Amino acid sequence: MQFFLPMIPPTATHQNKQLHAYLKDGRPRAVLHDSAGLRAARAKLHAHLAPHRPAAPLKGPVRLAVKWLFPLAGGHADGEWKTTRPDTDNLQKALKDTMTALGFWADDAQVASELCEKFWAAAPGIWVYLEALS
């Protein structure tokens, strides 16, 4: 299956966590929480991915290819490689977590083959290709 999500890709990634420190029983503790930006990014991905979820989760190994297409800025040309933040591995984490929650597969550990690219584009969005491997 393949589909295009026409949207401005979220730039808040899994790295956008907030540290909350507190005392418990007189000892310092710390907990990481998703930032408001990361929660908004996940909600945006969820809303755009939900209509494309399969009837049943894919089984076995999966190939995932994703093209992140960011809106043109700073004099960049359509189709030019984007070499600035966010990093591709951080973009993929939020996407794969959301796809797991929506039931594209049982566990994102099933993604055995992965290609991720990011570009500047006149038509921003996220192109997703998903294939069950045998």
Side-chain angles (χ1 to χ4, degrees), residues 5 8 10-12 22 33 37 41 59 62 71 74 76 85 95 98 100-101 109 113:
L5 307 174
I8 295 176
T11 56
Y22 62 96
H33 292 282
K59 299 199 180 301
V62 173
H76 292 285
R85 292 178 187 255
L95 178 74
T98 304
T100 300
S113 173

Side-chain angles (χ1 to χ4, degrees), residues 27-90:
R27 301 180 71 178
R29 310 279 180 169
V31 177
L32 286 176
H33 292 282
D34 292 348
S35 67
L38 180 54
R39 285 193 303 274
R42 285 192 175 149
K44 184 177 186 177
L45 288 168
H46 188 281
H48 282 82
L49 285 165
H52 302 283
R53 67 179 147 205
L58 295 172
K59 299 199 180 301
V62 173
R63 172 172 291 133
L64 175 65
V66 182
K67 293 183 187 243
W68 295 84
L69 307 169
F70 289 87
L72 294 175
H76 292 285
D78 188 28
E80 180 182 341
W81 294 103
K82 184 177 188 311
T83 58
T84 58
R85 292 178 187 255
D87 300 348
T88 55
D89 55 335
N90 296 329

